[in-house]
Amino acid sequence: MKDEVKLVIDATPGYEPYDRQKIIEQNKKNTVRHAYFREYLALQRLCLLILRHQRHQIGTGARQIYGILFDGAWLWEEYINLLIKDIFYHPMNKSGKGAQRLFDGNVGLIYPDFISRNSEPRIIADAKYKLLGNIGNRDYLQVLAYMFRFDAKAGYYLYPEAEGSDDLKLWLNRGSTYEKNVVPRDDISITKHGLKIPMDAQNYSEFTAKMKVQEQEFTSVFYA
């Protein structure tokens, strides 16, 4: 989302907050009419709602609602926090709580998802609302940077697992391919640790009962 916001800002360098009301009035008077741009009419209406801090009224009014947008990644992160909050600190970038810095002088703002309360050994965990195979290079670099910052030897990706796959533990390499001396370390690792989601429940009660079992198994690795 930050990348998308940056694109909008870069594309509108002349915008100033005090211009907002003028922009709203101009777009109210000059709605998209040309048939070639008809698909932009709905976008224009949506932008006006956002600029005026209004919202769609679900179930009322003349506008038809086609869907509701929610932040699944954030919901997953907060759900995981309910399970492990006794073991991990949880910095929250939405509210600006628990901010950390990479460098001296208050430089390099970061918000790791989870930092273990126990510093020996320190663990960094990252909630990922992704499939196992979609957790890749950029994700690795982020968690490794957090691990380096907090002197952690172990990192975790906490993701929803529907296929029943076991944990995947990745050992950090040392050495260089140029020198042909690449070998895995035995002291620094990142583990993809999935919370198994029951897929065979017949009703909600059965699903919640199975989820409780999976939640206990999921958190047990951090109490070992």
Side-chain angles (χ1 to χ4, degrees):
M1 183 60 69
K2 290 180 180 178
D3 293 338
E4 301 299 329
V5 171
K6 186 177 184 300
L7 286 174
V8 174
I9 293 173
D10 291 343
T12 55
Y15 174 78
E16 296 292 344
Y18 55 74
D19 291 329
R20 183 171 61 188
Q21 190 57 43
K22 181 174 67 176
I23 293 171
I24 291 172
E25 294 302 323
Q26 288 175 345
N27 279 272
K28 285 170 61 179
K29 293 177 181 177
N30 301 297
T31 56
V32 176
R33 294 185 174 85
H34 197 288
Y36 185 80
F37 300 103
R38 64 185 181 278
E39 293 181 353
Y40 287 91
L41 179 58
L43 177 60
Q44 185 184 41
R45 290 172 177 168
L46 177 60
C47 290
L48 283 170
L49 288 172
I50 294 172
L51 288 171
R52 292 184 291 187
H53 300 287
Q54 294 178 333
R55 63 184 69 188
H56 286 292
Q57 298 299 315
I58 300 175
T60 63
R63 293 192 185 92
Q64 185 174 358
I65 303 300
Y66 295 96
I68 299 173
L69 183 66
F70 66 93
D71 190 344
W74 178 80
L75 288 173
W76 174 253
E77 180 181 323
E78 294 306 304
Y79 166 53
I80 293 298
N81 182 51
L82 292 176
L83 302 180
I84 62 175
K85 61 183 179 181
D86 293 335
I87 318 168
F88 287 87
Y89 300 114
H90 177 42
M92 293 180 284
N93 59 349
K94 282 184 178 289
S95 60
K97 295 180 180 178
Q100 306 294 313
R101 298 287 178 172
L102 281 173
F103 305 106
D104 182 33
N106 213 30
V107 175
L109 178 67
I110 57 172
Y111 286 94
D113 287 351
F114 300 101
I115 306 168
S116 67
R117 296 177 183 271
N118 185 359
S119 60
E120 296 293 339
R122 181 77 77 189
I123 298 173
I124 298 296
D126 195 31
K128 288 296 180 190
Y129 192 60
K130 293 182 176 183
L131 297 173
L132 174 64
N134 290 344
I135 302 174
N137 287 350
R138 185 174 297 181
D139 302 316
Y140 298 150
L141 294 174
Q142 181 186 53
V143 167
L144 284 170
Y146 293 162
M147 290 169 62
F148 180 74
R149 162 64 177 81
F150 293 98
D151 296 321
K153 300 294 186 180
Y156 279 82
Y157 293 108
L158 310 177
Y159 72 99
E161 173 57 60
E163 303 297 329
S165 299
D166 293 330
D167 286 1
L168 177 61
K169 194 166 190 175
L170 305 171
W171 295 96
L172 185 68
N173 275 336
R174 60 156 47 99
S176 166
T177 55
Y178 291 109
E179 299 164 357
K180 298 181 180 180
N181 61 352
V182 176
V183 294
R185 302 174 62 115
D186 60 2
D187 59 338
I188 300 178
S189 66
I190 293 180
T191 302
K192 297 181 181 181
H193 179 53
L195 172 56
K196 295 180 174 60
I197 310 299
M199 304 300 291
D200 57 349
Q202 300 300 312
N203 52 57
Y204 182 71
S205 298
E206 183 180 348
F207 176 79
T208 54
K210 290 185 175 184
M211 275 301 299
K212 289 180 180 179
V213 174
Q214 296 302 330
E215 288 171 353
Q216 291 175 353
E217 182 178 334
F218 175 78
T219 58
S220 63
V221 299
F222 300 116
Y223 287 102

